[in-house]
Structures are given as C-alpha cells and as structure tokens.
Amino acid sequence: MTTLGAMGVTSVAGCLSSGNSRFRLSAYPVENPYEKFLRTDLTAQRAQFAIDYPDEYKRTVYEELFASGSVTVLNYELTYEYEFGSEQREQPQFTTDGDQYYRIHVDTVRTVERDWWEFYLDLQDTESSDGADPATVPITSLSDRDQQILEHAMEAAAADRDPAIDVGDQDPGSRGVTYHDHLDADKSDLVPSPPFEYLQHNDHLFQARAEQDTISVTERTFTAEQIGDSQSEYEQHVHDTVLEVDFSTVSLSSKATDVLDTATDGRPVSGFYEESPPMSDGLDVVLTQLNAADHVREHSEYAEYTTFPNLYAIYDESWYEFELAVYP
C-alpha cells in the first residue's frame, strides 16, 4: 500500500475495505472525446421499450428537432439528466444534420398515460395447465415480429433462468412487451387473444396473457441549440463547455499531482485514488480545478453513497472522465 501522509490517504492499490468511509476519485480514459459526445447515427439510440422504434420514425424525430428546434417523444432519450450529488445535471450530447452542429437539451419531462396492449408471460405452477398441451419455442406459425415479441416477453420473465420471474404483479408496461404507437397491435396475432394458452420452457410453465391497460410512460421535450457549422467549431464548443480543466495550464501542488497520478495509473481501462476523511489538501485542489469542490459537503453530512460523475479534464495530454464517490 502507498501511504500519502498521516491522514489515511491510500493509493489505487485499494487498501481501504469496501465498508470504510472514504472518498474515491475514479478516472476513465476517453479515447475519442469529440466522437463520444457527437451522435452521427440518428438511429442508434434505442427507445425505452422492449421493441425499439423503427429507424424511419427515429429519423423523423431528428428531422423535426432540426427543423423546428424542439421535439416531443415518448420513452426516448435524446439526452438525459443525471444526479450530481444533490443536483441534476444534463449529459452533454451533440448531433449534426450534416450542415449544422447542435447541442441537445432537455426541456421538459413528465409522466403521461396511454391505453396500450401488453403481451406477457404469467408464471404458473407446473400443474396449472388444466390439461392443455403447452406450446414450446420456436412457434413457427408466428410471424417474425411476433416471434421477436415472444422472445422479449420470455426475457422479461427470465424464462431461461431459474428461478423465473413472476411478472404478473408488476405494473402494466413492465411485465412484457408494450404495443406502443409504433408497434401495431392490429398486425400481431398475440393480441387480443394469443394463439396458445400456455408456454412450457425448461421447467417453467407460463400462461400467455394479452391485456389492454393504462400504462405510464415518460414524455420528454428536447430542444436543439445551434453551436456551429463546422467540425472545428463543434470541437471548440466542446472544449469550452464540456472540459472542466486542462491540468497542464494550471499550477498543481505535489500532493494534487500525486492524486492525479494515482487516479490515472489504471490506463487504459480505469484507475482510482482513495482516501479517508477528512478530505486532504491534494484532493481538494483537484476537485477545485474540476469545479466540483463547492458541491461537496463535509463527509459527516453524507448518510448514503453519493457520486459526482462526468467531470471531464485533460491530464498528461489525455482526456479523462473523472467521478468522485463519497462512501459514508
């Protein structure tokens, strides 16, 4: 173990046990920072449904965003907000229509309700089939899309694992596959009445259920901020707004340098630096440069594990994503 001073500071060697109160500064190398934040494949982001939105619809979402400056979608995150200590921050996310570059912002988030069908597999006792002959996969009479829906319903019920999951008591929309606005229930043989009553898989017996119910989904409105019309302008914007600090441009104490050297020693995957409270001068200097120190309270004020993620900086000519974790 490398000990840095008399305050219980320890290195990446990890001599503090997982139950100890501590600060941990993790560092994750970012190989291509300007690619990381720029979404060029407008169909890559998945909707938050078992069956994804079709690519054609995803393109229309971005077309509306570029044309009008905003778009409203259900269960689809063009970017997102995350917890930074006790506050909410927005993940930096950029995109381009080929001519202009935009930063995507979260405008509003609310819960709405929709009356949709859902197909799911309800776990049964193995003797509950009432003499019916259960189906087994593959069910070749189903269309390719219905076979895909059945597969996702099996995944939701953990049909391949032991124990399987009894999804019947879960909230509508979380039990199996939801027929959202871009998954046409009228084209599926699984609703309103599945063509088989029971499914036998491994040692599990499931009853096939299709129900129309009120399902809660998240409605998000996103806006687009135009930031430039060239790759160089985009990169400069990222450098100015996402990067917290280039450590080569500031004067660091030897203790702060030790903190950064230890945290970044795990390249190319990740590394970390840990110390027991109270916070050392070296870690405080690093967090000050990362614009995080003012958000971190006294260690004794934390009753639960808290993180301060997505702190981007350049150290030793390389980009890193830093995250501070506070273990109470």
Side-chain angles (χ1 to χ4, degrees):
M1 176 178 74
T2 301
T3 302
L4 305 177
M7 299 176 64
V9 181
T10 58
S11 76
V12 70
C15 297
L16 291 178
S17 71
S18 60
N20 285 349
S21 299
R22 64 200 188 277
F23 297 103
R24 172 183 283 198
L25 182 68
S26 299
Y28 307 94
V30 180
E31 296 298 329
N32 299 297
Y34 302 113
E35 292 181 13
K36 174 183 175 67
F37 303 116
L38 183 65
R39 182 170 295 143
T40 55
D41 182 355
L42 304 184
T43 66
Q45 187 73 8
R46 283 189 54 84
Q48 295 167 304
F49 291 109
I51 303 297
D52 195 11
Y53 284 143
D55 288 351
E56 181 180 359
Y57 171 70
K58 293 180 183 181
R59 293 188 186 96
T60 65
V61 168
Y62 280 94
E63 287 171 2
E64 182 176 346
L65 179 67
F66 297 145
S68 68
S70 70
V71 67
T72 299
V73 286
L74 297 179
N75 273 21
Y76 197 41
E77 288 187 324
L78 306 189
T79 188
Y80 60 90
E81 293 179 328
Y82 61 90
E83 291 186 359
F84 184 85
S86 60
E87 67 179 63
Q88 292 289 110
R89 288 193 172 184
E90 186 179 85
Q91 170 70 12
Q93 184 66 67
F94 302 85
T95 189
T96 179
D97 61 1
D99 296 317
Q100 301 292 330
Y101 289 78
Y102 305 87
R103 180 163 184 168
I104 304 175
H105 295 287
V106 179
D107 186 29
T108 60
V109 180
R110 68 186 186 114
T111 299
V112 297
E113 294 182 339
R114 293 290 185 269
D115 291 328
W116 281 337
W117 284 97
E118 182 179 25
F119 173 79
Y120 66 98
L121 298 174
D122 194 9
L123 184 64
Q124 306 290 304
D125 294 333
T126 55
E127 304 299 326
S128 300
S129 61
D130 300 326
D133 187 17
T136 58
V137 292
I139 302 176
T140 56
S141 61
L142 296 177
S143 66
D144 290 345
R145 175 45 63 90
D146 278 351
Q147 291 192 52
Q148 184 184 25
I149 291 170
L150 177 59
E151 289 172 3
H152 281 285
M154 292 175 66
E155 291 174 3
D160 286 324
R161 300 198 298 271
D162 191 14
I165 299 174
D166 187 358
V167 300
D169 293 332
Q170 296 182 10
D171 292 335
S174 63
R175 300 171 296 191
V177 176
T178 299
Y179 286 77
H180 50 72
D181 288 337
H182 299 276
L183 180 62
D184 192 349
D186 292 337
K187 295 182 179 180
S188 174
D189 290 334
L190 296 174
V191 294
S193 300
F196 57 93
E197 185 174 2
Y198 293 96
L199 177 76
Q200 182 79 47
H201 189 72
N202 294 338
D203 294 327
H204 306 308
L205 180 69
F206 302 93
Q207 186 171 16
R209 295 187 179 275
E211 296 179 3
Q212 190 172 26
D213 213 327
T214 300
I215 294 174
S216 297
V217 290
T218 303
E219 180 188 84
R220 298 177 176 90
T221 298
F222 300 94
T223 60
E225 173 195 2
Q226 186 174 326
I227 60 165
D229 57 9
S230 67
Q231 178 75 16
S232 61
E233 286 185 293
Y234 157 68
E235 292 183 4
Q236 186 63 51
H237 184 86
V238 170
H239 189 279
D240 293 342
T241 63
V242 176
L243 188 71
E244 302 291 350
V245 61
D246 181 345
F247 282 109
S248 68
T249 65
V250 298
S251 178
L252 293 173
S253 66
S254 60
K255 291 181 179 179
T257 300
D258 287 339
V259 170
L260 289 167
D261 285 343
T262 301
T264 59
D265 190 45
R267 290 180 295 179
V269 182
S270 67
F272 64 87
Y273 165 93
E274 286 188 340
E275 66 179 37
S276 300
M279 185 181 295
S280 68
D281 291 341
L283 181 56
D284 181 65
V285 168
V286 171
L287 294 179
T288 298
Q289 293 296 333
L290 288 171
N291 296 315
D294 289 344
H295 301 274
V296 183
R297 306 190 304 271
E298 292 293 328
H299 187 278
S300 59
E301 297 183 33
Y302 290 95
E304 59 185 19
Y305 173 76
T306 304
T307 61
F308 300 83
N310 296 339
L311 298 166
Y312 294 96
I314 295 175
Y315 183 66
D316 195 21
E317 300 183 349
S318 295
W319 274 70
Y320 288 92
E321 177 186 342
F322 289 92
E323 176 181 275
L324 176 71
V326 182
Y327 295 79

